Amino acid sequence: TAPIPSTAALGTTIYDVSQTNSFNCESPRSALSVAVQDLPAAPAVVSPVTYCQGATATALTATKPSATDTLYWYTTATGGTGVNTAPVPATGTVGTTTVYAGARSRYGCTGTLRAAITVNVNPTPVLPTVTSPVVYCRNAVASALNATAASAGDTLKWYTAATGGTGSNTAIVPATATAGTVNYYVSAKNTYGCEGPRAPIAVTVNALPAAPVVVSPVNLCVAGASSPLTATG
């Protein structure tokens, strides 16, 4: 009866097999080596991984227990079917999900230990409420722009460009020296460190009219007739 090798312990066991013919003659024995290999340990991971809602995510990473192992990814702590392509977290919905990384050795042994990676997707603030346009006359004394964040705990960030740049926590005071329209931008940043889209505020500086054209001096006689002064715009 062919033996069933035990896999309870690591190591190598040699089994020998021969054959006999109808004359009851037995052949030399062939050696059959059975090696019981160890299961891979759990991969090393960094957890949690945190994103802001709607951010562009990258594939999760893990470090293999051995250079010859292959990583497998699961959606459950036990069971299920693993895939060897690292998942890219979805960031469209706020919440927490857990992904598990396991390893398979070069001998085809799948480890029973899986490392959990928690993926947190934090909310992104909505656009602040602003009043736009803000209108000034040229060279008028301007005041700081204002906006209202949707959440009381959010911090406003001010910019001079629609994208890029470094936001300021101090509201911008528009320049009024030059006539024209300039756009300023404000966003909200929450306690998770997530910054929302930027709301534009158009600041229009209107030109001053030229001085009226007058005829001067106007000569009048004491106690004489007089009429309203005139000027041409």
Side-chain angles (χ1 to χ4, degrees):
T1 301
I4 298 175
S6 171
T7 61
L10 298 176
T12 300
T13 303
I14 305 295
Y15 296 88
D16 294 283
V17 60
S18 66
Q19 59 180 338
T20 57
N21 59 19
S22 58
F23 301 107
N24 203 30
C25 297
E26 186 174 1
S27 71
R29 300 179 186 180
S30 296
L32 183 62
S33 174
V34 176
V36 178
Q37 306 291 344
D38 199 2
L39 299 179
V45 298
V46 175
S47 180
V49 175
T50 302
Y51 287 101
C52 295
Q53 184 181 12
T56 301
T58 57
L60 297 176
T61 61
T63 302
K64 298 182 290 185
S66 171
T68 58
D69 292 341
T70 302
L71 291 174
Y72 276 79
W73 299 89
Y74 302 84
T75 57
T76 57
T78 59
T81 302
V83 297
N84 56 12
T85 302
V88 178
T91 64
T93 303
V94 173
T96 299
T97 57
T98 304
V99 179
Y100 300 87
R104 182 177 296 175
S105 73
R106 60 177 175 173
Y107 302 106
C109 300
T110 300
T112 56
L113 300 177
R114 299 177 186 176
I117 301 177
T118 300
V119 179
N120 296 320
V121 178
N122 293 321
T124 296
V126 298
L127 279 171
T129 301
V130 299
T131 299
S132 180
V134 176
V135 180
Y136 287 101
C137 293
R138 184 169 175 262
N139 293 326
V141 177
S143 57
L145 298 175
N146 63 77
T148 303
S151 174
D154 293 348
T155 301
L156 293 175
K157 307 291 285 185
W158 296 89
Y159 298 86
T160 57
T163 59
T166 301
S168 171
N169 292 335
T170 304
I172 295 172
V173 178
T176 62
T178 304
T181 298
V182 176
N183 286 326
Y184 300 92
Y185 302 87
V186 60
S187 66
K189 189 172 185 178
N190 60 23
T191 55
Y192 297 106
C194 297
E195 187 172 351
R198 300 177 187 179
I201 301 176
V203 176
T204 299
V205 177
N206 291 321
L208 299 177
V213 177
V214 298
V215 175
S216 180
V218 175
N219 295 307
L220 299 174
C221 296
V222 172
S226 182
S227 59
L229 297 174
T230 60
T232 303

